Amino acid sequence: MLGTMQDRPLTLTHFFERAERSFARKELVSGSATGVERTTYGEWAERTRRLGGVLDDLDISADGRVATFAWNTARHLELYFAAPCSGRVLHTLNIRLFPEQLTYIVNHAQDEVIFVDRSLLGLLAPLLPTFETVRHIVVMEDGGDVPDPTGIELLDHEELLAGASPVEFHVEDERRAASMCYTSGTTGNPKGVVYTHRSTYLHTLGVLGADAIGVGERDTVMPVVPMFHANAWGLAHAGVASGASLVLPGPRMTPPALAELIESERVTIAAGVPTIWMGVLPELEGRDTSALRMIPCGGSAVPKALSEAYREQLGLPILQAWGMTETSPVASVAITRSWMDDLDESVLADVRATQGPALLGVELRIAHQETGEELPWDGASRGELQAAGPWITASYHDDPRSPESFTEDGWLRTGDVAVITPDGYVQIVDRTKDVVKSGGEWISSVELENEIMAHPDVAEAAVIGVPHPKWSERPLACVVVREGASLAKDDVLGFLDGRVASWWLPDDVVFIDEVPKTSVGKFSKKDLRDRFGGHQLPTV
Ligand code: AMP
């Protein structure tokens, strides 16, 4: 027997039309090179419909890829909806990718047009001759002063909009591609993930859930996480869907500028990667942060010390989330549950240092690395984390590397190593590639880093495995000392003594000026391995 319910497609046009009708007066604030610009969902919706007309005028194919090379702004948000709601596919380009990777993904995705912020034109211009399918470059003025490159025809975003007619949006099939993102992987070419209307719709509902990020109409949400990285964690869509005001920082990404926006715009939810929050904390000192109620953070492990520093200074610990480009991205959030209310703050800090339970709609499991056998949720068994659900990708776009990333029963192999507690709390131990394999046992580089970063004089720390004649690999700690402080190797090792198992103690400590970062602000272990892979460990 089938049910009697209407089978309406789950498409982004519903989010768009709802915001257009019901939230027209709500505000969208965008940072620019010169200050902030203000608009409303009403004006945004009107421009978004005309942008649909621009895509028609530019003769973009019915499912043509519409690329963006842009900061987080209301203009970028117009493209977030104009492309998919007119049947096209939004392709957000990561402005920090290496040039050859950008060339690869633009050609692989077969982008037809690129919308670029004026201030970013200098990064894109040298690559334009390498793009094989791009027919138009549209420049969005953001207060930047990068001059036009010579010999390339550029179109002006505002002129195109002024000359275009608004269009009706209609998407019949919820499985139609809505947007795509490429992974920021450090080895090989990036892999493309293509989101459908349905997956984005359901992921947004997931993010809106009270036990996830819980975004509501009363919120003012500031996604610091770029709109070119994994859909800004769904927060741009969540804003439109819920009618929450959005504060989009544009190029105003320095810690003082972000702290200023949090205070002046009375931001309630501000989301970004750990390195962002490390920089912003001192800038929040003395500011009015009373509106702030949640700081979602993920992309890499959130050091417990960082979360605790926020709790001490702002009374608000960081909310850790876990996900991947492949998982739309939000798959788990480290909420604390009702029965934990009476626990000590120190225990709660440990709970918040996990990646939390899976969101409603997502299934997670761990599997033995070699046999693939499913492992128990006992808080001790370590295995590869695997994910399934309606907003988890089932393959990579046109990529022969797809099969190795999925199990026979269709689950995504995340490449993360994790344990899961009996209550379903996931603790990421490491990336499979980053665990230090010492004498057949694993040392978690992430846990070691966390412990080292709890030292008050440590600004940042990353741990890599370096070859060892007896143990195969041993940990090397790469430490950045906080400005004005001084540290020696023995201070670091002495601090770790008793905090980690003795056989986990790094064999050596090197002091560096900065931990190299990937295009999305994560510690780049690959760069550290290139630099220190041949490091001579002291013989004891
Ligand atoms: P990306 O596709 O660039 O978002 O990278 C996804 C990867 O980032 C995951 O597979 C994890 O290795 C890592 N990651 C994301 N969130 C967390 C987190 N909260 N803790 C630890 N690692 C994380």
Side-chain angles (χ1 to χ4, degrees), residues 460-472:
E460 284 179 337
V463 171
I464 55 168
V466 294
H468 187 281
K470 181 167 175 203
W471 300 110
S472 147

Side-chain angles (χ1 to χ4, degrees), residues 222 254-264 280 283-284 287 289:
M222 181 164 88
T254 61
L258 293 172
E260 162 77 31
L261 282 172
I262 288 173
E263 181 177 39
S264 61
V280 168
E283 301 296 333
L284 289 174
R287 288 189 183 271
T289 54

Side-chain angles (χ1 to χ4, degrees), residues 226 274 326 444 481-482 524:
E326 290 86 336
S444 158
V481 180
R482 203 172 283 289
S524 175

Side-chain angles (χ1 to χ4, degrees), residues 9-11 171-178 195-198:
L10 308 179
T11 67
V171 176
E172 193 71 37
D173 187 347
E174 64 181 17
R175 292 164 306 171
R176 201 179 169 101
Y195 310 99
T196 60
H197 280 261
R198 175 188 157 86

Side-chain angles (χ1 to χ4, degrees), residues 184 229 298-301 320-326 355 416 431 522:
S184 53
H229 181 214
S300 46
Q320 171 148 217
W322 173 85
M324 312 171 71
T325 304
E326 290 86 336
Q355 282 68 23
D416 286 338
R431 291 290 294 162
K522 302 180 195 205

